[in-house]
Amino acid sequence: MATIILAVSRTTCPVYLFLFLMVVVLLPSPSLSADSDPLQDFCVADLNGKPSLNGFPCKPASEVSSDDFFFSGFTQEGDTNNRFGVNVTGGNVLAFPALNTLGLSMNRVDFAPGGINPPHSHPRATEAGVVIKGKLLVGFVTTANVFYSKVLTEGEMFVIPRGLMHFQINVGDGKALAFTTFNSQLPGAVIFSSTLFATRPTIPNQVLTKAFQVDDDIINTLKSKLS
Ligand code: GLV
Ligand code: MN
């Protein structure tokens, strides 16, 4: 690095040197774009310990066995008998402690016909997914309000950049199934309908009527349906 800076400073004016240094300093570190890299072979979470920096303390290696590294939570179809017709089975560190500090996790997502995984975002992870069965309309919206979407069928894959609002809806005739994966052991999910209308305590109608430019009746209906 010092050699590069020296070379630049000899051949260019101070303004270019300043700009070059700014770019070097401001370039985001890859290690900040997802969970930090593991510092050891494994760190099976001691779920009774306190989380620290999106991680748990490690179980003593002497207590770790093969079973810690295998997870059967995705073998059963999720129960989609609910108002959204969807079931998300989480395979994150809380369900599968061996993911602790490894910077990844997965979900199994089952859809009834017409079922929707409602608009949500993951504050801590980018999501990639693959459709295993059925036909899904997958969409996301950028911070510039551009909507990208496509209907995907078996074997097709999608990606949702970190933090962006997205959804999947089953547009096929039967059930659908997708597996999703995240570059975080605990990506978190902000489900916008619940975030706005099903909080405890509730967000004052004064805020929601103004934000959505509708009257109290509509806000009260949304609150009662979603709470
Ligand atoms: C799908 O969007 C998921 O979060 O699993
Ligand atoms: Mn998602």
Side-chain angles (χ1 to χ4, degrees), residues 107 117 120-122 127 158 160 164 166-168 180 182 188-189:
N107 283 345
N117 190 8
H120 65 279
S121 70
H122 305 288
E127 168 179 331
F158 60 89
I160 311 291
L164 296 188
H166 61 284
F167 64 84
Q168 301 96 19
T180 51
F182 305 88

Side-chain angles (χ1 to χ4, degrees), residues 15 34 57 73 110 115 117 126-127 141 147 153 160 169 215 219:
V15 174
D110 289 282
N117 190 8
T126 289
E127 168 179 331
V141 180
F147 175 49
T153 56
I160 311 291
I169 186 164
D215 58 29
I219 297 299

Side-chain angles (χ1 to χ4, degrees), residues 2-223:
T3 321
I4 299 172
I5 292 172
L6 205 62
V8 171
S9 66
R10 279 196 185 129
T11 55
T12 58
C13 72
V15 174
Y16 286 113
L17 175 61
F18 174 74
L19 288 175
F20 172 77
L21 288 174
M22 287 301 286
V23 167
V24 170
V25 169
L26 295 177
L27 266 182
S29 154
S31 66
L32 295 179
S33 61
D35 286 3
S36 53
D37 288 339
L39 301 175
Q40 60 283 307
D41 283 354
F42 63 82
C43 179
V44 178
D46 173 0
L47 293 183
N48 296 319
K50 287 209 180 96
S52 64
L53 292 176
N54 199 22
F56 288 86
C58 314
K59 209 173 175 177
S62 58
E63 292 173 22
V64 170
S65 71
S66 292
D67 281 348
D68 281 307
F69 299 103
F70 301 93
F71 177 63
S72 312
F74 290 158
T75 54
Q76 305 296 321
E77 182 178 329
D79 180 6
T80 57
N81 190 16
N82 53 58
R83 63 183 152 200
F84 294 127
V86 74
N87 191 295
V88 179
T89 307
N92 58 40
V93 67
L94 299 178
F96 187 9
L99 294 178
N100 196 36
T101 76
L102 300 185
L104 58 91
S105 57
M106 293 185 77
N107 283 345
R108 171 185 174 131
V109 193
D110 289 282
F111 299 84
I116 184 170
N117 190 8
H120 65 279
S121 70
H122 305 288
R124 292 185 288 275
T126 289
E127 168 179 331
V130 62
V131 178
I132 303 296
K133 188 170 79 184
K135 201 195 256 193
L136 292 179
L137 168 65
V138 179
F140 71 91
V141 180
T142 68
T143 56
N145 285 344
V146 180
F147 175 49
Y148 294 98
S149 70
K150 188 167 184 181
V151 173
L152 301 182
T153 56
E154 289 172 22
E156 294 188 298
M157 185 177 168
F158 60 89
V159 66
I160 311 291
R162 175 176 172 164
L164 296 188
M165 191 199 76
H166 61 284
F167 64 84
Q168 301 96 19
I169 186 164
N170 183 356
V171 291
D173 295 330
K175 295 175 178 177
L177 171 66
F179 281 92
T180 51
T181 184
F182 305 88
N183 61 343
S184 167
Q185 64 180 33
L186 197 57
V190 176
I191 302 167
F192 293 98
S193 47
S194 323
T195 292
L196 288 162
F197 301 108
T199 56
R200 284 180 311 275
T202 60
I203 298 176
N205 278 19
Q206 182 192 7
V207 174
L208 297 171
T209 52
K210 189 86 172 166
F212 288 93
Q213 298 288 290
V214 294
D215 58 29
D216 281 296
D217 288 351
I218 294 180
I219 297 299
N220 290 338
T221 304
L222 287 167
K223 282 183 172 174

